[in-house]
């Protein structure tokens, strides 16, 4: 066993009763380091840190938020995303959180989506795709998600400028280029047959040809829930850093129903991707993400806030190479 890792595990073991120390120790670690720590801790003490955090989460009401956050942070990234998807789909707890599902299908390569689905089935003995199909009552997001599921199954890595231009023109002709609501069938057909990079190129061509973003066209006319859902999906595809920066800001300000949006984005987007999101956040809102978290009136003070600040600052303070995790999870 690596001596430095053993030393880390001893410090963590000694900190189990002091959540503040534990949170600060783990927040600055990469996923590769956390994996080694979990393995070493299990070998040294015969217990999985995940299980210990779950016990703490059940026993300590005052520190439940940080224990739950630490639990999610310690999970393997693929298993973590599977857990988040299951929580998003669990209608016994609350309404379906469609943004979690959108972010997975839009922000993950097809090969990684397959692994998340496998982790979902292994952990919950359920088929993710079937759970999406079974969402009740039907919602416009469901139509788009079903199309994205099909898109990933027919994924092609290459992108075509010609196809992008043709699709952009079809979107215009069946949207703002005609009176009334957009043609949902055309949108869903395009979404089901094109990869995410291809769709991103399509929206870029749309802006180049018509002089504005496709999402701006969704504000025209008497549009409804489908257009609202489509707008969110398109923003996530076309400009992910801006999309995620808005998620973070809305969560910090408490102006969203997206439960868990703050920790989800900070944990799932990887070190390298978070750097770009934080740059967009600072440019758009005039402050560092960590500063916004510290000043938030909607985030409980104490260990949970300290943990979030540590997550927010880890990409700026680390000097070692942390691109391994970001490559694996992109």
């Amino acid at each position: 066993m690596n001596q430095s890792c053993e030393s880390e595990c001893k410090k963590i073991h000694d900190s189990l009763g002091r959540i503040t120390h534990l949170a600060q120790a783990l927040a600055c670690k990469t996923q590769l380091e956390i994996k080694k720590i979990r393995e070493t801790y299990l070998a040294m003490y015969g217990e999985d840190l995940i299980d210990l955090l779950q016990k703490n989460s059940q026993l300590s009401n005052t520190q439940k938020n940080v224990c739950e956050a630490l639990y999610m942070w310690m999970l393997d990234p693929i298993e973590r995303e599977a857990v988040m998807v299951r929580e998003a789909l669990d209608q016994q707890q609350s309404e379906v959180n469609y943004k979690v599902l959108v972010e997975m299908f839009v922000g993950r390569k097809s090969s990684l989506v397959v692994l998340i689905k496998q982790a979902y089935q292994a952990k919950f003995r359920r088929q993710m795709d079937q759970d999406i199909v079974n969402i009740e009552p039907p919602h416009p997001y469901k139509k788009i998600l079903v199309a994205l599921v099909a898109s990933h199954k027919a994924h092609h890595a290459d992108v075509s400028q010609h196809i992008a231009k043709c699709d952009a023109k079809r979107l215009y002709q069946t949207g703002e280029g005609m009176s009334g609501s957009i043609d949902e069938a055309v949108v869903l057909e395009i979404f089901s047959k094109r990869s995410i990079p291809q769709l991103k190129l399509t929206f870029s061509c749309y802006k180049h040809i018509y002089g504005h973003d496709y999402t701006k066209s969704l504000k025209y006319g008497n549009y409804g829930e489908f257009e609202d859902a489509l707008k969110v999906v398109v923003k996530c595809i076309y400009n992910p850093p801006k999309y995620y920066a808005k998620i973070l800001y809305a969560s910090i300000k408490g102006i969203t129903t997206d439960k868990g949006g703050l920790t989800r984005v900070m944990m799932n987007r990887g070190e390298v991707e978070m750097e770009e999101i934080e740059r967009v956040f600072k440019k758009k809102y005039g402050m560092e993400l960590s500063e916004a978290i510290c000043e938030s009136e909607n985030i409980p003070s104490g260990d949970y806030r300290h943990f979030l600040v540590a997550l927010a600052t880890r990409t700026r303070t680390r000097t070692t190479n942390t691109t391994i995790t970001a490559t694996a999870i992109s």
Side-chain angles (χ1 to χ4, degrees):
M1 269 184 256
N2 185 289
Q3 284 189 341
S4 62
C5 193
E6 287 183 358
S7 177
E8 285 280 356
C9 289
K10 188 177 185 306
K11 290 179 182 178
I12 290 171
H13 182 73
D14 294 339
S15 299
L16 285 178
R18 296 171 291 158
I19 298 299
T20 300
H21 295 276
L22 184 60
Q24 291 175 345
L26 295 175
C28 63
K29 305 298 181 186
T30 66
Q31 292 300 314
L32 185 59
E33 290 170 335
I34 286 176
K35 181 180 179 181
K36 290 180 178 179
I37 286 172
R38 279 187 66 185
E39 293 171 348
T40 304
Y41 192 94
L42 180 63
M44 289 177 66
Y45 298 105
E47 290 184 284
D48 192 331
L49 275 172
I50 293 289
D51 295 334
L52 291 175
L53 288 169
Q54 280 186 304
K55 291 176 184 177
N56 276 328
S57 180
Q58 293 170 357
L59 294 174
S60 176
N61 290 327
T62 58
Q63 297 174 320
K64 185 176 181 180
N65 285 338
V66 70
C67 285
E68 289 179 348
L70 280 169
Y71 162 72
M72 295 299 289
W73 183 235
M74 291 293 291
L75 288 175
D76 173 85
I78 291 173
E79 184 181 6
R80 180 200 304 141
E81 197 139 8
V83 170
M84 288 183 175
V85 169
R86 182 61 208 145
E87 289 180 353
L89 284 166
D90 189 359
Q91 293 177 283
Q92 293 182 349
Q93 300 296 324
S94 60
E95 295 182 356
V96 174
N97 189 340
Y98 292 101
K99 286 185 178 180
V100 177
L101 305 171
V102 168
E103 289 164 17
M104 181 193 67
F105 283 112
V106 168
R108 304 304 186 206
K109 293 179 180 179
S110 296
S111 56
L112 194 62
V113 171
V114 170
L115 295 178
I116 295 170
K117 289 180 180 180
Q118 290 173 352
Y120 185 96
Q121 183 177 8
K123 190 170 184 66
F124 303 111
R125 301 293 187 266
R126 306 172 68 98
Q127 297 282 347
M128 184 190 297
D129 290 354
Q130 193 59 48
D131 282 350
I132 292 172
V133 171
N134 290 338
I135 292 175
E136 292 292 343
H139 191 282
Y141 268 118
K142 177 179 173 180
K143 297 178 183 179
I144 299 174
L145 287 167
V146 170
L148 289 175
V149 169
S151 169
H152 275 272
K153 289 180 178 178
H155 175 73
H156 298 287
D158 296 334
V159 295
S160 165
Q161 189 79 21
H162 174 70
I163 291 175
K165 289 181 179 179
C166 291
D167 285 347
K169 290 177 181 178
R170 287 187 73 196
L171 288 173
Y172 178 83
Q173 291 164 358
T174 58
E176 64 178 301
M178 70 175 191
S179 60
S181 299
I182 65 172
D183 190 331
E184 292 184 16
V186 171
V187 173
L188 294 173
E189 178 194 347
I190 292 174
F191 269 61
S192 65
K193 292 182 178 179
R194 310 295 186 228
S195 67
I196 298 303
Q198 182 67 53
L199 288 171
K200 186 171 184 176
L201 183 58
T202 294
F203 299 131
S204 180
C205 286
Y206 192 102
K207 183 173 184 178
H208 178 74
I209 295 171
Y210 301 108
H212 58 258
D213 290 337
Y214 177 62
T215 52
K216 186 176 180 179
S217 74
L218 299 178
K219 297 178 182 179
Y220 301 149
N222 185 24
Y223 290 163
E225 285 188 329
F226 181 82
E227 288 78 12
D228 288 339
L230 180 59
K231 189 160 51 179
V232 171
V233 177
V234 173
K235 286 181 178 180
C236 189
I237 293 173
Y238 186 57
N239 194 336
K242 184 177 179 181
Y243 166 88
Y244 288 116
K246 286 185 176 181
I247 293 283
L248 293 173
Y249 184 78
S251 297
I252 290 169
K253 292 297 183 180
I255 53 176
T256 179
T257 57
D258 180 11
K259 183 180 179 182
L262 181 60
T263 53
R264 181 179 75 249
V265 172
M266 293 176 69
M267 290 184 185
N268 279 357
R269 301 328 302 176
E271 284 91 345
V272 173
E273 196 174 7
M274 270 304 299
E275 287 183 6
E276 178 60 24
I277 294 169
E278 288 184 22
R279 279 195 291 268
V280 172
F281 186 97
K282 184 177 181 180
K283 182 178 179 180
K284 187 172 180 62
Y285 303 111
M287 65 176 72
E288 299 284 357
L289 175 60
S290 57
E291 180 185 351
I293 292 172
C294 287
E295 294 179 1
S296 174
E297 297 179 357
N298 300 286
I299 300 174
S301 61
D303 295 331
Y304 180 58
R305 182 180 292 185
H306 293 323
F307 177 67
L308 294 178
V309 170
L311 284 182
T313 57
R314 76 186 192 282
T315 54
R316 298 199 304 274
T317 57
R318 291 190 60 84
T319 56
T320 56
N321 185 355
T322 60
T323 58
I324 297 175
T325 303
T327 301
I329 199 69
S330 64

